[in-house]
Amino acid sequence: MKVAFLGLGDIGSLMAAHLARDPFELVVWNRTVAKAQTFARDHRARVAPTPAEAVSGADVVITCLPSSVEVEAILHGENGMLDAFRKGSVLVDCTSGDPPTSRSIAAELGGRGVDFIDAPVSGGTVAAKSGSLTVMWGGEALVFERVRPVIEAFGKKIVHAGQVGSGDALKAINNALLAVHILSTAEGLAVLVKAGVDPKVALEVINASSGRSNSSENLIPQRVLTRAFPRTFRLALLEKDIGIAAVLADDLGVRTPVISLAAERFHEAREKLGEEADHVEAVKMIEQENGIEIK
Ligand code: NDP
C-alpha cells in the first residue's frame, strides 16, 4: 500500500516511523527538507520534494500539521496536493484541526473523487513512539475501512466520533480539559505552597482523591517538580486547540466560561513564553505571578 506522510514534527515523525515497513511503501514530505532527509536516512522511506509529488500515486495520504490552516496551505499552495491526488485515494488528516475547515476540505475533495477523514490523535509522543495512540476519527465507515491498516499501524484505541469534523471537535474538547487541568492544578498548588504545604505531599493526597487528573498524576510530578519541562507538545498548539474548542462552543451557542477563561490564559502564556515552549510550561506563568516555585 502506497502511503504519503506530510509533516514530520514532534509527533508526526514518530507516527510515520510505523509506516516505514511492510506492507507499506512510504513517501515523506516536510517543509524543512533536512528533517525529511534525516527521517529517510533512518527509516525505509523516500523523500518527495513537494506536497504534489508526495501524494501523486499514493493510496493513502496522511497530514500532521499544526492546524487546518497549514493543511489548507499545502492543499492549495504552489505545488500543492489538490491536483495531484489519485482518484480513489483518501486524505487522512491527523492534524488536530478545526471542524469547519475539515468539512470544507472533505467537500472539495469529494468533488474530485478523493475521500477525507479527520483523525486527530491523543496520547502524546510516548504513545506515538510505541504505536499505541488513541485515534478519534470523523467520516464514513466505508472510507475508514480502506485506511484501517494505516491507522492501526500507529493507533491502538481507534474510535469513530461521527461525521467529518467530529474527530476534530472531540480532540479540541479533550485538549481544552487538559488546559483547564494544567491551570487549575498549578493554581491549587500555588495556594498550597503559600500555605506551607509541600507540593509532593499535596499531590500524594490529591492523587488519592477526587481532585486528580493526568496533570496531577503525571505531568506535574514528572515535569514540574523535577523542573525538567521537556518539550513534547508545544504550548502554542494547546493554545490553538483550546481556541478551537472556544469557537466551537460559541458557534453552537453553548455557554462555556471556564473554557473561555482557560483559552485567554493560554493566550497570555503563549505571548509570555513563546512559540517553542512546552504546554506544561504554562505552570511557570502561574509560578511567576505568585512568586513561588512548585518543586
Ligand atoms: P510540531 O510543531 O512539532 O510540527 C509541525 C509540523 O508541521 C512540522 O513538520 C512543520 O514543518 C510543519 N509545518 C508547520 N508550519 C507549516 C506550514 N506553514 N506549511 C507546511 N508545513 C508546516 O507539531 P506536532 O508534530 O507536535 O503536532 C502536529 C499535530 O499533532 C498538531 O495539530 C498537534 O496539535 C497534534 N498533536 C500533537 C501532539 C504532541 O504530543 N506533540 C499530541 C497530539 C496531537 P517544519 O519541520 O518545517 O517546521
Side-chain angles (χ1 to χ4, degrees), residues 5-15 29-36 51 63-71 73-74 93-97 120-126 128 133-134 136 171 175 223 231-234 236-238 240-241 244 275-276 278-279:
F5 200 109
L6 297 93
L8 300 171
D10 287 342
I11 202 155
S13 55
L14 298 170
M15 292 163 67
W29 175 83
N30 194 64
R31 179 182 61 174
T32 305
V33 71
K35 274 196 209 167
T63 39
C64 190
L65 300 176
S67 73
S68 297
V69 173
E70 290 80 18
V71 179
I74 65 161
D93 186 18
C94 291
T95 304
S96 305
V121 300
S122 64
T125 50
V126 173
L133 286 164
T134 295
M136 53 219 89
K171 175 68 189 175
N175 278 20
R223 300 171 178 223
R231 216 298 281 292
T232 61
F233 175 43
R234 290 191 300 117
L237 293 174
L238 184 53
K240 172 258 313 180
D241 291 334
I244 294 171
E275 294 301 301
E276 297 306 319
D278 183 71
H279 65 306

Side-chain angles (χ1 to χ4, degrees), residues 174-184 215 238-239 242 262-263 266:
N174 177 73
N175 278 20
L177 301 184
L178 165 65
V180 167
H181 292 159
I182 290 172
L183 294 175
S184 58
S215 297
L238 184 53
E239 193 258 341
I242 190 168
F266 263 84

Side-chain angles (χ1 to χ4, degrees), residues 186-187 190 194 224 227 229 265 268-269 271-274 281-294:
E187 286 183 4
K194 287 225 167 178
V224 178
R227 311 312 288 171
F229 292 104
R265 292 289 279 155
E268 270 179 80
E271 296 212 313
K272 286 196 173 110
L273 297 158
E281 291 185 70
V283 171
K284 289 182 181 168
M285 176 178 79
I286 292 166
E287 291 180 327
Q288 281 159 14
E289 287 168 351
N290 294 295
I292 52 111
E293 273 192 357
I294 299 166

Side-chain angles (χ1 to χ4, degrees), residues 181-182 184-186 188-190 192-193 197-226 294-295:
H181 292 159
I182 290 172
S184 58
T185 308
L189 290 172
L192 289 170
V193 168
V197 179
D198 183 334
K200 291 186 201 71
V201 171
L203 285 169
E204 193 185 333
V205 171
I206 290 166
N207 288 334
S209 310
S210 46
R212 69 184 182 273
S213 63
N214 184 54
S215 297
S216 67
E217 289 182 319
N218 294 307
L219 298 179
I220 294 189
Q222 291 163 16
R223 300 171 178 223
V224 178
L225 296 187
T226 58
I294 299 166
K295 62 180 184 192

Side-chain angles (χ1 to χ4, degrees), residues 118-122 134-138 157 159 161 167-168 170-171 174:
D118 51 310
V121 300
S122 64
T134 295
V135 183
M136 53 219 89
W137 62 276
K157 190 173 183 67
V159 179
D168 290 336
L170 182 43
K171 175 68 189 175
N174 177 73

